[in-house]
Amino acid sequence: MKELTRRKRLRHFLIALFTVFIFVLPFFVSNNYYLSVLVVIGIHTTVVVGLCLLMGYAGQISLGHAAFYGLGAYTSGILTSTYNISPWLAILAGAMGTGIVAYIMGIPIFRLKEHYLALATLGLGLIIHVVFMEEVELTGGPSGLSKGIPYLAIGNIVFNTDFKYYFLVWTVALLAIILANNVVHSRIGRALRSIHGSEIAAQSLGVDTGKFKLQVFALSAVYASIAGSLYAHYITFISPSPFGLMTSIQFVVMAVVGGLSNIWGPILGVTGVTVLTEGLKSIVPQLIPQAGGEYEIVVFGLILVIIMIFLPEGLTSGVVRLYEEWRYRKERADETS
Amino acid sequence: MSLASELLQYLLSGLTMGGIYALVALGFVIIHNVTGIINFAQGEFVMLGGMFMVTLVGAGVPTVPALVLSVILVMIVVGIMEFGAIRSAKRASPVSLVIITIGLSTAIRGIALLVWGTNPYRLEPFTAGGPIHIGGATIVPQSLWVIGTTAAVLALTFFMFEYTYWGKALRACVVNKFAARLMGINPQKMSLFAFVFSAALGALAGIVIAPITYVTYDMGLMLGLKGFVAAVMGGLSSTPGAVIGGIALGVIESLGAGLVSSGYKDGIAFIILLLVLFLKPGGIFGTFGSKRV
Amino acid sequence: MRLLEINNLTRSFGGVLAVNDVSFSVDKGQIIAIIGPNGAGKTTLFNLMTGIYPPTHGTIMFKGTEITGLTAYQIARLGIARTFQNLQIFNNMTVLENVMVGRHIKSKTGFLGAIFPVWPVQREEREIVEHSLDKLAMVGLTDQAMQPANSLPYGRQKMLEIARAIALEPELLLLDEPAAGLNSTETRELIDTIYNLRDQGVTILLVEHDMETVMEIADRLVVLNFGNKLAEGTPYEIQNNQEVITAYLGEEGSGC
Ligand SMILES: Nc1ncnc2c1ncn2[C@@H]1O[C@H](COP(=O)(O)OP(=O)(O)OP(=O)(O)O)[C@@H](O)[C@H]1O
Ligand SMILES: [Mg+2]
């Protein structure tokens, strides 16, 4: 009991510390480029937190999350630019719509397991992406929405600079993390993890595993959708290209790199991968001048392979394990002395 | 053009692509049955085959030696991949293995991008000559090459399964992995063999299709996925099923694209996939072995 | 009243009749052992009773209602819990959390409550913890509560599965070879735990190969052989049943 309270306090303390860090950080970052990278990290973190709930806790893979990200972005984009609906309402509509789509599509998809599930989610993602490309009247097709998407605003604060948007995005990302943390340490979180541990045992303890898979899939889709809406209002223009398979894979890479079953994994994974790709963007052209813009996918692929082989639990769990081993050894040393 | 000849046209182009899908699907089935892995990098083998061929021919190597050399090169690359990555991760969970092969395919595609860039490459057809007319439909000679090669390779594969030691060993693994192990077949060697053999199938597919579709660094993604769809249609563990699945997919896709909308062509394969998975999770032509609880 | 009634239960896998026309019934408060050689169909019988897969023929009645065809989680909710022959511990959780999953159906926090843990949710969470710690104490795992479950030795993991199963407060508990792999001290503890549960009113059905243990604790035995029910009766009756001796006990001597 005491140990439980201690762990809970530690978690809350870390979250509080991180929150302070996040909201102080932009005051020390004067460079606009760095700020914009931080904004993107915040947006991606929101997606990956949801994906980690699905993959790390419930143990279900999704290779189609970019499509949910896209559904959020397109709902926001279309409703605000074409129909002049309030952006906040549009975000809400996108989140609910995406959640419902994910839930309904999940009903047949989650009868599948493992690689069939991977393929089915991938297929779903591709189909939704094809719709973005083909429904020209609604989405503008491959060239994207023609009308501009408005900035978000609260009262007369318009989120039209990286600095202001940073606070909005990270408030959402932190909320995403905190709420996911609540879920993880609840009856629902345990039910999800039990599915990952042994689906048969979970069922024989009365856990309706099918229902929970659907619910967490829908929840993770809602996370992605909200992040997508934030992306749309940040860039103020959208086309299908950021919502394809590569982005889905990128989300999975970020989740896997950070470590799937730890709430800090997404931040670490997203930051690590983003810093790496941004770093490569400035280094690689100097080394290989003729390289195109997408060489980063080599690195993605290799990171994925290396992490899965050598650190299958991801960076965070690796660090946590090292820390626990250290603590254990220290306790042993204290006992003997 | 009359509806009948239009249908014939779709059928012919469907057969061409279907042959390619069949080769890729066969590779999936062989690797899956021998190792239990779904190799999402299968499509990259196709791309590599096409790219090596284009490069060699471009460097002045005659068609036949270039073809042989390309296939061998792909086999070497895949052999290294199996040795370096797949083998070290054999004990990983199925989801981890899926992620690993996705990582490998992404890396291969990226390297191809670095080496060959984003431009599509064109390969001259194997034989010159204009389109051939068959009952109101036309077909380019290269399509005949594709269909012919596919048929020949499939015949050879099944011949090998029946009459050679390695083929029989492979088939034993395909039919019953456990029994194969009892018979003293080394699973590690078989895994390497399965990957390299599937690489050859994929490379051949890439080479014969190159004059028709052009070769791009990212062609493997879709081809691989559709090959997998075909394999799933065939039940994922049946070799004839994979072939029938591939051809069926090619034809359905071609008909769908022609009759409905070509923009949704890539969507069609996945709608079929979802339908197959939901309605008949054992595949149209096969059944999955039931899993022991 | 009959707690459990199994009528003409049959299940085949392809051509194999794993369970063939088996009928028997269990009264409340009994300890019933199911014995039989390897492959006799004992685990299959458990899987049928817990809804892992449906029977090919036959019915299962629990407390007078038919449960044939219900899913595993529905059956668990009616009050049947089980352990597994091949351990199914949640390796990704601590010992305590494993048992806490066992409280799933006795608690009701939903997704909304999980996302926003208001006071009643926290109170329920505390109840879950207390209850689970009680169950861990019953099997002597209190000190290991915060350890990762997979760090426990095999015998302890088996006790953990029992703790997790009884966290459901089941009326009927199915134990699939609970003593296999336990040393003699652990077996003793297991037997005490089983008696303890029986005294609390839990009816217990167990599969066991260790004849000494079985004959000691079981009120009645059901003997399976090649999917068929060979005999049923008290330990004394079974020990003196000629058919059982030739089919099963004889084989035991020569085989394993
Ligand atoms: N899922 C399944 N698919 C195919 N055959 C099965 C399956 N489950 C069990 N069998 C077969 O049914 C028969 C009974 O198996 P079961 O596991 O019920 O035996 P058991 O009595 O529990 O044996 P043991 O003492 O070894 O645990 C065996 O022949 C087994 O091979
Ligand atoms: Mg058994």
Side-chain angles (χ1 to χ4, degrees), chain A residues 1 3-4 7-8 56-57 178-179 182-183 185-212 215-216 219 324, chain C residues 52 72-73 76-77 80-82 84 88-94 96-97 100-102 104-105 107-111 114-117 124-126 128-130 133 146 164-165 168:
Chain A
M1 250 339 207
E3 176 69 10
L4 275 183
R7 288 188 190 193
K8 194 168 167 185
Y57 290 92
I178 293 168
L179 299 186
N182 289 346
V183 171
H185 295 97
S186 72
R187 169 177 180 265
I188 305 295
R190 283 187 300 272
L192 292 176
R193 284 150 76 197
S194 74
I195 300 175
H196 193 9
S198 161
E199 189 159 351
I200 294 220
Q203 285 177 353
S204 74
L205 295 170
V207 178
D208 182 350
T209 54
K211 187 184 87 183
F212 281 109
Q215 289 184 345
V216 73
L219 182 68
E324 268 167 9
Chain C
I52 306 284
Y73 72 84
R77 285 170 194 193
I80 301 182
R82 72 174 290 185
F84 296 85
Q88 299 286 329
I89 289 288
F90 304 129
N91 283 325
N92 52 345
M93 297 191 210
T94 64
L96 177 64
E97 284 169 335
M100 288 168 81
V101 179
H104 185 80
I105 56 174
S107 43
K108 52 182 184 298
T109 299
F111 248 92
I115 294 175
F116 304 105
E124 186 179 84
E125 188 74 8
R126 271 199 303 279
I128 294 174
V129 171
E130 276 160 24
L133 284 171
M146 298 307 289
R164 187 178 70 183
L168 264 77

Side-chain angles (χ1 to χ4, degrees), chain A residues 2-207:
Chain A
K2 245 194 232 147
E3 176 69 10
L4 275 183
T5 327
R6 194 188 68 82
R7 288 188 190 193
K8 194 168 167 185
R9 287 234 180 88
L10 180 66
R11 273 199 312 269
H12 289 178
F13 174 71
L14 285 176
I15 290 177
L17 199 70
F18 183 72
T19 308
V20 172
F21 168 75
I22 281 297
F23 287 127
V24 170
L25 184 64
F27 294 102
F28 296 92
V29 179
S30 47
N31 182 320
N32 250 334
Y33 163 71
Y34 288 142
L35 265 180
S36 70
V37 171
L38 288 172
V39 168
V40 172
I41 290 179
I43 293 175
H44 286 171
T45 298
T46 309
V47 181
V48 176
V49 167
L51 197 57
C52 276
L53 280 179
L54 179 71
M55 288 179 60
Y57 290 92
Q60 309 298 311
I61 194 171
S62 168
L63 290 175
H65 257 55
F68 300 133
Y69 184 56
L71 280 178
Y74 270 102
T75 314
S76 276
I78 293 168
L79 287 184
T80 53
S81 71
T82 314
Y83 297 97
N84 286 321
I85 287 171
S86 147
W88 300 106
L89 268 180
I91 293 179
L92 199 68
M96 281 169 48
T98 308
I100 292 169
V101 168
Y103 195 92
I104 293 173
M105 289 310 296
I107 292 172
I109 285 181
F110 279 93
R111 280 165 42 195
L112 307 168
K113 282 197 173 65
E114 295 161 4
H115 31 257
Y116 297 103
L117 180 63
L119 191 76
T121 50
L122 188 150
L124 176 64
L126 285 174
I127 291 170
I128 294 177
H129 189 249
V130 169
V131 172
F132 294 154
M133 300 278 275
E134 295 300 318
E135 290 303 315
V136 179
E137 267 173 40
L138 203 58
T139 65
S143 50
L145 279 183
S146 50
K147 284 191 209 137
I149 301 165
Y151 287 114
L152 286 169
I154 300 175
N156 44 23
I157 309 170
V158 182
F159 294 95
N160 54 1
T161 66
D162 285 329
F163 185 78
K164 288 191 236 173
Y165 213 71
Y166 175 96
F167 287 95
L168 179 67
V169 162
W170 276 99
T171 305
V172 173
L174 284 169
L175 267 175
I177 292 171
I178 293 168
L179 299 186
N181 182 55
N182 289 346
V183 171
V184 166
H185 295 97
S186 72
R187 169 177 180 265
I188 305 295
R190 283 187 300 272
L192 292 176
R193 284 150 76 197
S194 74
I195 300 175
H196 193 9
S198 161
E199 189 159 351
I200 294 220
Q203 285 177 353
S204 74
L205 295 170
V207 178

Side-chain angles (χ1 to χ4, degrees), chain C residues 151-220:
Chain C
S151 71
L152 292 181
Y154 181 76
R156 306 275 88 190
Q157 292 198 12
K158 295 203 98 164
M159 297 308 276
L160 173 57
E161 270 207 350
I162 296 181
R164 187 178 70 183
I166 58 181
L168 264 77
E169 295 173 40
E171 280 183 68
L172 177 64
L173 177 62
L174 312 183
L175 303 173
D176 199 347
E177 307 206 4
L182 299 193
N183 62 33
S184 54
T185 344
E186 288 172 333
T187 308
R188 204 61 251 166
E189 280 172 25
L190 170 74
I191 293 174
D192 290 343
T193 310
I194 290 176
Y195 280 144
N196 206 338
L197 288 169
R198 198 253 327 260
D199 295 343
Q200 290 176 16
V202 182
T203 309
I204 291 164
L205 204 59
L206 67 132
V207 168
E208 194 45 72
H209 279 300
D210 178 17
M211 279 307 129
E212 225 173 295
T213 311
V214 168
M215 295 302 170
E216 179 186 342
I217 64 174
D219 297 313
R220 266 174 348 110

